[in-house]
Amino acid sequence: MSAYYFPIKHLHVTAVVLSILLFALRAYWAVVGSEHLKNRVVRILPHVIDTILLVCGVILAAMVGPEQPWILTKIVLLIVYIGVGTIAIKRGRTPRSRLIAALVAVAVFAYIVGVALTKSPASWFVW
């Protein structure tokens, strides 16, 4: 393992925690129709955090070998999470649809975390 592995992994995990916390807050604001979503920091900060998360993830994947099935699973689920997340925060037409999308997005996110921890596409179902 490279000497940079653990610092990059730590930064990646920190970005994961910040990303889901900020997503949950923004999703809540989207469901209740809060004006906070229009705040410049609220619009920009998630992109900064998610860029850090993604860059660290790509570096880590390169270090462990991107051909791992669990890494491909995380990539596919990330695409699903992004799609459902946009419905939760921007594209959902009603508060109910935004709420349902937010709950699905959080479930997908939890599954991704399980894949990362178990190093298995089966995620939490391995244990």
Side-chain angles (χ1 to χ4, degrees):
M1 238 3 104
S2 167
Y4 299 108
Y5 178 80
F6 289 108
I8 293 169
K9 183 177 178 183
H10 180 73
L11 183 57
H12 179 71
V13 171
T14 300
V16 166
V17 171
L18 292 173
S19 180
I20 193 60
L21 290 174
L22 197 50
F23 172 79
L25 180 61
R26 291 169 57 223
Y28 170 75
W29 286 339
V31 170
V32 300
S34 173
E35 292 292 315
H36 291 302
L37 282 174
K38 295 179 181 176
N39 183 301
R40 182 180 168 109
V41 172
V42 172
R43 289 191 335 249
I44 295 171
L45 186 59
H47 299 293
V48 172
I49 292 169
D50 291 343
T51 298
I52 292 168
L53 186 140
L54 185 59
V55 168
C56 289
V58 168
I59 293 169
L60 290 170
M63 286 180 173
V64 299
E67 69 281 351
Q68 305 291 327
W70 63 275
I71 291 178
L72 178 60
T73 302
K74 284 181 66 174
I75 292 167
V76 170
L77 290 172
L78 176 63
I79 293 166
V80 172
Y81 170 73
I82 291 168
V84 178
T86 62
I87 295 169
I89 294 175
K90 290 182 181 178
R91 298 187 188 346
R93 296 178 192 250
T94 66
R96 184 172 191 262
S97 67
R98 290 190 294 271
L99 175 61
I100 291 168
L103 294 173
V104 170
V106 169
V108 171
F109 193 93
Y111 197 91
I112 294 170
V113 169
V115 171
L117 293 174
T118 63
K119 307 282 190 276
S120 168
S123 186
W124 301 108
F125 299 107
V126 167
W127 291 342

